[in-house]
Amino acid sequence: MVSEMISLYCRKKHATKKGGLCSECAKLAEYARQRSDKCPFMENKTFCSNCRVHCYKPEMREKIRAVMRFSGPRMIFHHPVVAMRHVILTKCEKKRMEHK
């Protein structure tokens, strides 16, 4: 999902072609992939935004936040099923965390 969001961001902000990324966005996508691959909570969580541990370096965290702020609301037009699933699972996860 994060790869799709970075792709959308890059396409709209950096005028890259669909499926292509500028060098900065490619680095961010690779970093996000590495962080997900090493995540010790991946089996139990749905999205990084719901995680209690933030494993991104501060600089990369700000970059990914900018991507999410831009791409998040637009995902409903590009990937509606995935976007709705994200909203529903996030709400469910937050309710579950409140009851712990």
Side-chain angles (χ1 to χ4, degrees), residues 1-11 64 67-73 75 79 86:
M1 175 52 92
V2 73
S3 298
E4 292 293 330
M5 294 179 95
I6 293 170
S7 178
L8 174 61
Y9 178 86
C10 192
R11 196 165 62 245
I64 203 72
V67 168
M68 298 295 170
R69 264 187 245 115
F70 178 85
S71 297
M75 290 301 285
H79 298 283
H86 177 72

Side-chain angles (χ1 to χ4, degrees), residues 7-40:
S7 178
L8 174 61
Y9 178 86
C10 192
R11 196 165 62 245
K12 300 292 184 180
K13 291 283 190 169
H14 304 144
T16 55
K17 294 185 178 179
K18 190 167 186 171
L21 296 174
C22 70
S23 62
E24 185 178 339
C25 289
K27 287 178 190 173
L28 181 61
E30 179 58 29
Y31 182 79
R33 208 172 357 267
Q34 288 173 354
R35 299 309 330 158
S36 290
D37 289 346
K38 293 180 180 181
C39 179

Side-chain angles (χ1 to χ4, degrees), residues 25-90:
C25 289
K27 287 178 190 173
L28 181 61
E30 179 58 29
Y31 182 79
R33 208 172 357 267
Q34 288 173 354
R35 299 309 330 158
S36 290
D37 289 346
K38 293 180 180 181
C39 179
F41 305 107
M42 197 50 96
E43 289 181 20
N44 300 327
K45 72 175 187 162
T46 52
F47 305 105
C48 292
S49 58
N50 297 335
C51 191
R52 63 184 182 274
V53 176
H54 296 288
C55 57
Y56 281 48
K57 292 178 186 173
E59 176 188 342
M60 297 304 254
R61 189 169 180 197
E62 284 308 309
K63 287 180 182 182
I64 203 72
R65 287 174 109 175
V67 168
M68 298 295 170
R69 264 187 245 115
F70 178 85
S71 297
R74 291 163 177 82
M75 290 301 285
I76 194 74
F77 302 110
H78 297 274
H79 298 283
V81 174
V82 175
M84 290 307 298
R85 179 179 171 265
H86 177 72
V87 169
I88 291 166
L89 288 174
T90 297

Side-chain angles (χ1 to χ4, degrees), residues 44-46 91-100:
N44 300 327
K45 72 175 187 162
T46 52
K91 288 186 181 280
C92 290
E93 180 117 352
K94 286 186 179 182
K95 279 184 182 178
R96 189 173 59 87
M97 295 304 282
E98 287 174 3
H99 291 102
K100 280 190 171 186

